[in-house]
Amino acid sequence: MVLFARPCGADWLSNAVRVDSALENLSRLARIPQSQKPNRRGSYVTLPAGCGFGGGRTCPGSYANTAHNAPLVQAILDRPDVQRVARYVDAGLQAYFPKLHSFYSSLLEHILADSPEIVRMFQGCCYGACHLNLHNASTVDHEDWYNILFGMCAVYSSGLYDHTRSGHFIAWSLGIVAQFPPACAVYVPSACVTHANTPIASHETRSSIAFFMSAGLARWYHNGYISDKEFKERASVAQLNAWNASRAKLWEVGLELLQYT
């Protein structure tokens, strides 16, 4: 299921212009090794922020950037206009999927309490992490495997492009193609729905902020703040059977969290 949040008003549009400018400036200032271009989602620059668990980590932690890029990313996160976008996507998730929003909020609070070295990405936002996709962000067909399977990622689109001719959002698994105007957000189950964007013209710019919650954080918390590997090594037969049974019924948990009431 794909939902668009479509704000309006001069104040929001003014906020969007400031976000556009900030992301374009980050695109000019960031230094990206050639080995990181392109990424698996497309031939654009992307920088991570927030926290997650997986990909060889031994415990949850903040996503890393280079010494040059880290302060640039933090400066983006500290901007009031970008923080307003974070609160906007948080409010949208709460409005459409209140149970999932409560789950995300509780999970993030528990992770941050257990790992005080992790700095919260945004106040007033239930998402644990985001990717800053810069300048010409048009994605190829992909799924985001490391995100919570039944979760809804939020993608805020930014830039100067003709949304009637380019930058469309495609949810291949659902058979949906939709216009995706700047200063709007889409909510999509990105781990299980193949999705992409149509390219923009060479004279256009398009950035995005993709908010997500790492599935590894949910597993870490569910295991009692240890990894799957460590849990299975420590668990009794009864505990392991219960663990496997809970995993087999995870889809039921997901369906319940996606219901409005």
Side-chain angles (χ1 to χ4, degrees):
M1 186 173 187
V2 178
L3 295 167
F4 280 93
R6 300 177 63 88
C8 58
D11 182 51
W12 179 256
L13 293 178
S14 177
N15 193 86
V17 169
R18 293 192 295 273
V19 173
D20 290 349
S21 177
L23 294 176
E24 276 300 298
N25 190 51
L26 175 61
S27 176
R28 289 189 292 269
L29 295 177
R31 297 175 187 168
I32 308 298
Q34 200 61 35
S35 60
Q36 294 182 17
K37 302 178 188 176
N39 63 83
R40 75 172 186 86
R41 297 177 181 86
S43 56
Y44 59 89
V45 170
T46 183
L47 297 172
C51 63
F53 177 59
R57 294 176 179 271
T58 59
C59 63
S62 299
Y63 290 114
N65 285 291
T66 65
H68 174 82
N69 292 337
L72 300 176
V73 169
Q74 189 58 51
I76 291 291
L77 302 183
D78 289 341
R79 292 181 61 95
D81 40 34
V82 175
Q83 292 170 6
R84 185 178 180 186
V85 168
R87 294 193 298 272
Y88 155 65
V89 298
D90 177 90
L93 188 72
Q94 187 173 30
Y96 291 121
F97 303 100
K99 293 181 180 180
L100 183 63
H101 178 274
S102 179
F103 171 75
Y104 276 8
S105 297
S106 176
L107 173 61
L108 184 59
E109 291 299 332
H110 281 95
I111 292 297
L112 294 176
D114 183 64
S115 304
E117 71 281 2
I118 297 176
V119 178
R120 180 188 291 270
M121 182 174 63
F122 293 114
Q123 294 293 333
C125 182
C126 67
Y127 286 100
C130 72
H131 276 115
L132 305 173
N133 305 314
L134 304 175
H135 186 61
N136 60 341
S138 296
T139 59
V140 297
D141 304 351
H142 70 284
E143 302 89 27
D144 298 303
W145 310 307
Y146 291 112
N147 299 347
I148 292 177
L149 181 63
F150 50 79
M152 285 284 177
C153 295
V155 183
Y156 171 84
S157 190
S158 175
L160 297 173
Y161 62 96
D162 182 354
H163 68 272
T164 66
R165 302 184 65 179
S166 58
H168 288 60
F169 182 83
I170 307 172
W172 290 104
S173 309
L174 303 178
I176 294 174
V177 179
Q179 294 180 9
F180 193 0
C184 294
V186 60
Y187 296 86
V188 58
S190 66
C192 60
V193 169
T194 303
H195 56 287
N197 295 99
T198 59
I200 59 172
S202 59
H203 66 278
E204 297 178 318
T205 62
R206 181 183 182 274
S207 296
S208 67
I209 307 177
F211 297 80
F212 64 95
M213 184 68 82
S214 163
L217 295 179
R219 293 195 297 269
W220 179 268
Y221 171 67
H222 182 261
N223 293 338
Y225 304 103
I226 57 176
S227 66
D228 285 355
K229 180 177 182 295
E230 189 174 0
F231 180 87
K232 288 187 281 188
E233 289 173 348
R234 293 183 182 185
S236 65
V237 173
Q239 288 173 325
L240 193 56
N241 287 338
W243 187 87
N244 287 325
S246 69
R247 291 299 175 90
K249 294 184 176 180
L250 192 59
W251 65 273
E252 296 179 358
V253 175
L255 286 179
E256 172 64 25
L257 289 174
L258 290 173
Q259 294 180 19
Y260 185 78
T261 58

